[in-house]
Amino acid sequence: MLIIKNLCVSIKGHSILKELNLSIKPGEVHAIMGPNGSGKSTLGYVLAGKKDYKITSGTITYNEKNLLELPPEKRSELGLFLGFQYPIEIPGVNNGYFLRMALNSQRKKRGLDEIDAPDFIKKISKIINLLNIDKKFLSREINYGFSGGEKKKNEILQMLLFKPNLSILDEVDSGLDIDSLKILSKGINSLLHKNRSFLLITHYQRILNYIQPNFVHIFFDGHIILSGNKDLALIVEKKGYSNIINNRKKSNN
Ligand code: ADP
Ligand code: MG
C-alpha cells in the first residue's frame, strides 16, 4: 500500500528525514515511536503533501502511484488521511457543514452520490455516539475553543466519517485522559479492516495496549533505527529512548 524508499527531506536547508525506508501493507498497523524533534510529524506532513518541504531524494509509492506527484486533495481522495498532532482552529467555519462538504466532495470524486443532510446526520450521529462526544461539536466552529482532547476526538471523528485506506495519526493520544484514550482507541479499532492500514505516531506505549500494532519502529534523527513487534514498545517504556539509541550507535560502530 505504501512504500517509502531512501527518503530524504529538508526544510529551509535543514535536513530532517534521512534515508527513511518504510513499507506498509494493507491491513497492517505500524507504530512509530521516537524522541521529540526526530522528524515524526515531518513524515506525516510529507505524506499528506504539505508544502514547504523539499524532497531531496527518494520515493514514496502509494497504491502503485507516485505519491509525491499528487496534490494533497488528490491524496485525500485516494484514501490517505492525516490526523494532526496540533489540529488547527478554523473560526467562522461550521464543523458539521465542513464535514458534510468534505465527505461529499470525496464521494463525488469517487463517483458516488452526495449524501443529503438527514442521511448525514444519521451517519455522523452513530460516530458521535461511539466516541461519546457532545452533539454540539457539529454546530461549533472547527476546533475553535476546543480542549486538546476534544480536538483529537474531532480528528478521529473525521477519520471515522471518511473511512480512509491509510490513516496517519500523529500523537492522537497525547493530552488525553484515560477514558478518552480508551474511547478513541475503540473508534480507531472499529475501522480496522484487511484493506485499511494505520501509521500511529506516538511517544507512549500506553495506546498500544488498546490498539495492537503489527510493527513498532523506533525513529531517531530522521529515520528508523530499530523495528520490532509490540514488545519493542514495552522495552522503550522500560528503558527509555536514549538507551536504545546508544545501543544502536554502539552496534553500528
Ligand atoms: P517530531 O514530530 O518527531 O517531534 P518534527 O517532525 O516536528 O519532529 O520536527 C523535526 C525537526 O524539524 C525538529 O528539529 C524541528 O525543529 C525541525 N523543523 C520542523 N519544521 C521546521 C521549520 N518550518 N523550520 C525549521 N525547522 C523545522
Ligand atoms: Mg511531532
Side-chain angles (χ1 to χ4, degrees):
M1 170 170 281
L2 182 79
I3 304 169
I4 303 177
K5 275 195 186 150
N6 302 325
L7 185 70
C8 296
V9 172
S10 65
I11 186 159
K12 293 178 187 152
H14 300 281
S15 159
I16 313 279
L17 299 183
K18 301 170 187 171
E19 296 286 335
L20 172 67
N21 289 291
L22 175 68
S23 287
I24 302 181
K25 295 200 178 86
E28 288 180 350
V29 177
H30 289 241
I32 284 195
M33 304 180 78
N36 292 319
S38 52
K40 305 181 300 299
S41 293
T42 301
L43 171 62
Y45 284 138
V46 168
L47 288 172
K50 191 179 175 195
K51 287 188 208 144
D52 315 332
Y53 296 101
K54 190 163 186 284
I55 317 296
T56 48
S57 61
T59 55
I60 307 180
T61 313
Y62 172 68
N63 288 336
E64 272 89 57
K65 289 189 176 64
N66 176 1
L67 189 77
L68 295 171
E69 273 180 354
L70 307 172
E73 59 277 13
K74 186 75 189 170
R75 299 181 191 197
S76 160
E77 191 190 313
L78 293 173
L80 193 141
F81 176 87
L82 171 65
F84 290 107
Q85 179 175 4
Y86 303 110
I88 40 169
E89 299 189 355
I90 313 181
V93 181
N94 176 278
N95 201 24
Y97 186 73
F98 162 77
L99 289 169
R100 186 155 79 89
M101 292 277 288
L103 178 67
N104 277 335
S105 155
Q106 289 197 349
R107 290 179 63 91
K108 220 167 135 181
K109 295 264 172 57
R110 293 173 189 157
L112 300 168
D113 286 343
E114 289 195 13
I115 286 189
D116 62 17
D119 279 346
F120 174 75
I121 295 293
K122 260 189 236 160
K123 212 174 169 61
I124 199 97
S125 298
K126 277 191 201 152
I127 304 173
I128 282 183
N129 287 338
L130 178 73
L131 297 179
N132 195 23
I133 48 188
D134 194 329
K135 274 215 161 66
K136 285 199 199 97
F137 246 57
L138 290 182
S139 54
R140 288 175 66 178
E141 300 159 80
I142 300 174
N143 290 330
Y144 186 61
F146 283 27
S147 73
E150 285 174 338
K151 286 179 181 169
K152 301 281 169 153
K153 284 191 179 178
N154 209 23
E155 296 294 284
I156 299 301
L157 174 78
Q158 279 186 25
M159 183 188 82
L160 294 182
L161 183 68
F162 300 157
K163 294 192 164 60
N165 295 327
L166 174 62
S167 302
I168 304 140
L169 300 176
D170 193 356
E171 291 199 29
V172 72
D173 50 340
S174 23
L176 284 187
D177 62 63
I178 189 73
D179 295 352
S180 299
L181 178 69
K182 282 186 189 167
I183 289 168
L184 276 200
S185 303
K186 197 169 87 182
I188 295 167
N189 282 328
S190 75
L191 210 61
L192 291 180
H193 182 274
K194 63 179 168 39
N195 294 330
R196 293 198 192 106
S197 311
F198 292 81
L199 183 60
L200 292 178
I201 298 172
T202 180
H203 277 302
Y204 305 107
Q205 181 273 337
R206 200 175 59 161
I207 190 171
L208 305 179
N209 288 332
Y210 304 106
I211 304 167
Q212 295 274 326
N214 302 100
F215 300 94
V216 172
H217 309 283
I218 308 299
F219 205 86
F220 176 67
D221 194 22
H223 59 269
I224 291 167
I225 57 162
L226 187 62
S227 298
N229 62 16
K230 63 179 169 43
D231 297 338
L232 182 55
L234 293 168
I235 297 172
V236 170
E237 189 85 348
K238 219 166 122 189
K239 295 193 166 174
Y241 290 120
S242 53
N243 231 308
I244 292 173
I245 292 163
N246 289 335
N247 279 339
R248 293 308 291 175
K249 280 185 186 157
K250 270 186 220 152
S251 65
N252 284 340
N253 282 337

